[in-house]
């Protein structure tokens, strides 16, 4: 039985956080290859530090893509907003160490003869949904994402010229009877221009935060921590090294649900670390959207080179109106058995749609007209209602 009342916290980081800069670059590489060849293979890693960008990994696709990567990567860093002496989109030293994918991996994953395409790696992937927000996401994480997203929009539009790209947020909510009712504390740390004081920063960001949280969530008892360490002028890759895949809990459910351990960014959709996590979210979201439960967690297990999932598990957290064992049979059938190939085809993942996922979460977003965030659609609701 779930506890009726408790306090829970989630954090998010902005697109200018060093690790998210690395994620954005890695997913820019994925998009570049998929744009040239929808069936390219990519496993790209990025390191960013003071005036330095280093990319490495394994790829299979048109060789000329690598020649044009530097321009695309610098454009991505420029879009984030880094034009600082310690990290500048135009002058940072760039190194590329991408090389051909291992033939041993390729032979195990590729379809051949009667063998279907296998999973790009072994692993367990989770999907989750909850009805505590309209996005069917944990409220603590969704509000943390939204705070940083609106501040980034204000910064990039020029409305708030004192803010710089690197930022982190953290929201702590009181839950009563399993539902969020108010904020007990809010933490926001943001890089800023040298001429601003901590009080100046607080005056800038607080109105944006107050608009993000639902009416009544902020009370006189809410604790505020705005730039609690004081000055935050040196930030981004100049202040801290960034690496691909170090913010996986920010990417998923803010700690409210399990994570299989694999990062998403830098991987093409044959890697089930990414694609199976997307299909698991898609199915869990449709279960909750159909009103079959208030919460839903799905786990899918895979073996490298094997197309059929090893396991498919559904947990409705004692909030369901249906038998989870029946869902375990129905849900895979709705997506072609949840094989790697079926997932890619159902969600149409072989498209350059990944750079946009690198910040503010891979889930809880609106599906885009060009196929981005296709896993956020709720187009299985009628089928699920009909099945029960």
């Amino acid at each position: 039985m779930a506890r009726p009342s408790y306090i829970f916290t989630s954090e998010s980081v902005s697109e200018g956080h060093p690790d998210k800069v690395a994620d954005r670059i890695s997913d820019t590489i994925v998009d570049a290859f998929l744009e040239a060849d929808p069936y390219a293979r990519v496993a790209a890693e990025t390191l960013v530090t003071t005036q330095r960008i280093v990319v490495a990994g394994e790829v299979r696709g048109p060789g000329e893509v690598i020649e044009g990567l530097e321009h695309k990567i610098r454009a991505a860093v420029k879009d984030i907003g880094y034009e600082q002496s310690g990290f500048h989109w135009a002058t940072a030293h760039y190194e590329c160490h991408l090389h051909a994918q291992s033939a041993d991996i390729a032979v195990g994953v590729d379809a051949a003869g009667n063998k279907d395409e296998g999973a790009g790696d072994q692993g367990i992937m989770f999907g989750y949904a909850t009805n505590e927000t309209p996005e069917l996401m944990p409220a603590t994480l969704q509000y943390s994402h939204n705070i940083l997203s609106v501040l980034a929009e204000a910064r990039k539009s020029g409305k708030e010229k004192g803010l710089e790209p690197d930022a982190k947020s953290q929201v702590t909510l009181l839950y009563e009877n399993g539902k969020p009712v108010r904020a007990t504390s809010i933490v926001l740390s943001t890089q800023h221009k040298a001429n601003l004081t901590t009080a100046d920063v607080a005056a800038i960001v607080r109105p944006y935060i107050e608009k993000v949280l639902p009416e009544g969530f902020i009370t006189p008892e809410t604790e505020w921590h705005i730039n609690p360490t004081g000055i935050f002028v040196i930030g981004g890759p100049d202040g801290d090294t960034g690496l691909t895949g170090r913010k996986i809990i920010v990417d998923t459910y803010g700690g409210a649900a399990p994570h299989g351990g694999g990062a998403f960014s830098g991987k093409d959709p044959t890697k089930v670390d990414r694609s199976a996590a997307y299909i698991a979210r898609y199915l869990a979201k449709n279960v909750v959207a159909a009103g079959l439960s208030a919460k839903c967690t799905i786990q899918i297990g895979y073996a490298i080179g094997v197309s059929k999932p090893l396991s498919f598990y559904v947990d409705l957290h004692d909030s369901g109106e249906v038998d989870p064992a029946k869902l375990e049979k129905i849900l895979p059938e709705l997506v072609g058995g949840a094989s790697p190939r079926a997932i890619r085809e159902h969600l149409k993942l072989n498209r350059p749609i990944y750079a946009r996922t690198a910040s503010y979460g891979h889930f809880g977003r609106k599906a885009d007209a060009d196929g981005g965030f296709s896993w956020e659609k709720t187009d299985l609701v009628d089928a699920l209602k009909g099945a029960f």
Side-chain angles (χ1 to χ4, degrees), residues 44 47 90 121 240 365 386:
L47 176 148
D121 203 351
D240 194 9
R365 311 284 288 274

Side-chain angles (χ1 to χ4, degrees), residues 152-170:
E153 183 180 348
R155 171 181 62 83
K156 295 170 83 170
S157 70
K159 185 176 180 180
E160 301 296 350
K161 294 181 172 62
L163 301 181
E164 294 282 21
D166 194 359
K168 300 178 76 172
S169 64
Q170 187 168 287

Side-chain angles (χ1 to χ4, degrees), residues 74-294:
R74 291 190 185 277
V77 175
K78 182 180 182 181
D79 180 65
I80 293 169
Y82 276 112
E83 296 184 341
Q84 302 167 4
S85 60
F87 192 71
H88 196 294
W89 67 269
T91 58
H93 178 70
Y94 169 78
E95 296 179 34
C96 179
H97 302 282
L98 296 170
H99 60 84
Q101 182 190 44
S102 162
D104 290 347
I105 293 177
V107 74
V109 175
D110 290 349
N114 293 326
K115 175 185 174 295
D116 193 9
E117 176 185 302
D121 203 351
Q122 72 174 47
I124 54 173
M125 292 79 202
F126 288 92
Y128 178 71
T130 172
N131 64 3
E132 61 190 63
T133 63
E135 297 87 355
L136 303 186
M137 287 288 288
T140 48
L141 180 65
Q142 193 64 49
Y143 300 145
S144 295
H145 284 328
N146 292 351
I147 287 168
L148 294 178
S149 182
V150 298
L151 288 173
E153 183 180 348
R155 171 181 62 83
K156 295 170 83 170
S157 70
K159 185 176 180 180
E160 301 296 350
K161 294 181 172 62
L163 301 181
E164 294 282 21
D166 194 359
K168 300 178 76 172
S169 64
Q170 187 168 287
V171 174
T172 301
L173 299 180
L174 170 67
Y175 284 70
E176 292 181 350
N177 297 317
K179 296 294 183 181
V181 295
R182 68 177 179 89
T184 61
S185 67
I186 296 168
V187 182
L188 190 285
S189 296
T190 181
Q191 186 185 16
H192 57 86
K193 301 289 188 184
N195 62 330
L196 296 182
T197 67
T198 301
D200 293 333
V201 173
I204 291 171
V205 304
R206 184 159 174 160
Y208 291 95
I209 296 171
E210 291 173 341
K211 288 181 180 179
V212 164
L213 270 71
E215 186 176 356
F217 268 51
I218 296 176
T219 71
E221 288 75 39
T222 301
E223 296 181 5
W224 289 81
H225 302 281
I226 307 297
N227 278 14
T229 60
I231 190 170
F232 186 5
V233 173
I234 301 173
D238 188 29
D240 194 9
T241 299
L243 294 170
T244 303
R246 286 208 300 195
K247 289 292 178 286
I248 58 177
I249 303 304
V250 170
D251 287 342
T252 54
Y253 306 106
H259 189 292
F264 300 159
S265 291
K267 298 175 182 176
D268 74 77
T270 67
K271 277 69 171 177
V272 285
D273 275 344
R274 179 167 225 157
S275 56
Y278 289 172
I279 204 74
R281 160 64 179 175
Y282 171 70
L283 294 172
K285 183 176 183 180
N286 275 270
V287 167
V288 175
L292 303 184
S293 67

Side-chain angles (χ1 to χ4, degrees), residues 38-62:
Y39 299 98
R41 299 289 172 82
V42 184
E45 310 290 344
T46 302
L47 176 148
V48 289
T49 187
T50 301
Q51 277 294 78
R52 188 170 294 270
I53 301 167
V54 182
V55 299
E58 299 76 48
V59 297
R60 189 173 78 191

